[in-house]
Amino acid sequence: MAGAFFTNERANYMDYFTPVMLHTTSVVWQHKDKRFPFNKKEDLEGKWGVTVINNSFGQEFDKYATRHLNILTVASLSQALEMLAAHRVDYVLYEKNPAMAYAHQMKLANSLTSVEPYISSEGLYLTISKQSSCNQGALKYHIASALQEMKQDGFMEQALLEGMQQWDNQNSGKTFVN
C-alpha cells in the first residue's frame, strides 16, 4: 500500500518501509461564513465534524477524537465538503492539499477555508502485508534502498508537484458529482 500513515494497529499486519515517501498535513476545514476559533483540538469539542471513512490523523489525534469529538464519516471527500458547504456540519477534517484541490474543482473554494494550526503532519509510508508472498528479505532490502535513493534525489516531491499540475490540467473546468 502506498501512502499509509503509521499506526500500531496497522503495524500488526503491515511492514513499513523507510524512509517515508512524503509528509502530509491534515487540517480543519470550515465554512467561511460560519467560522469558529480554532487553536487546539479541544476547540472542536461540542461541534459536529466529518471526515472520510477509515481516515487517520495519527494515533494521538485519533484516540482523542474517539473519546471527545463528534465526527461523522462519509464515503468521499466531495461528500464531506458538500456537507460543510451546506452547513450540515461545523468542520471537515482532511489533508490540506487534496481538500484544497477538490474544493477548487467543486467550485467551493470561495466558501471553504482551512485553518491553522494543523491537526497532524504524518509521514506517508509504503507498506507491504506481512502475509504477502512478496514479503521477503531480499525484496524488502531492494525496495528500501530504492526509496532511500528516491528521497535523496528529491523524486517524491517532484512527482507530487508534477502530479498535482497534471491533475489540475486534466480537471480544469470539470465539476465533481457524487
Side-chain angles (χ1 to χ4, degrees), residues 14 23 31 44:
M14 303 292 283
H23 279 85
H31 196 290
L44 302 175

Side-chain angles (χ1 to χ4, degrees), residues 67-97:
R67 291 182 180 156
H68 302 285
L69 302 181
N70 302 313
I71 301 176
L72 305 169
T73 57
V74 294
S76 68
L77 176 56
S78 58
Q79 185 179 3
L81 294 174
E82 286 173 352
M83 289 174 71
L84 182 59
H87 300 284
R88 292 176 48 207
V89 292
D90 300 308
Y91 63 92
V92 169
L93 297 177
Y94 207 79
E95 292 86 26
K96 185 174 184 175
N97 290 335

Side-chain angles (χ1 to χ4, degrees), residues 45-61:
E45 290 184 28
K47 305 208 178 312
W48 282 94
V50 65
T51 193
V52 177
I53 295 170
N54 294 326
N55 215 358
S56 172
F57 301 103
Q59 289 183 128
E60 180 185 334
F61 186 88

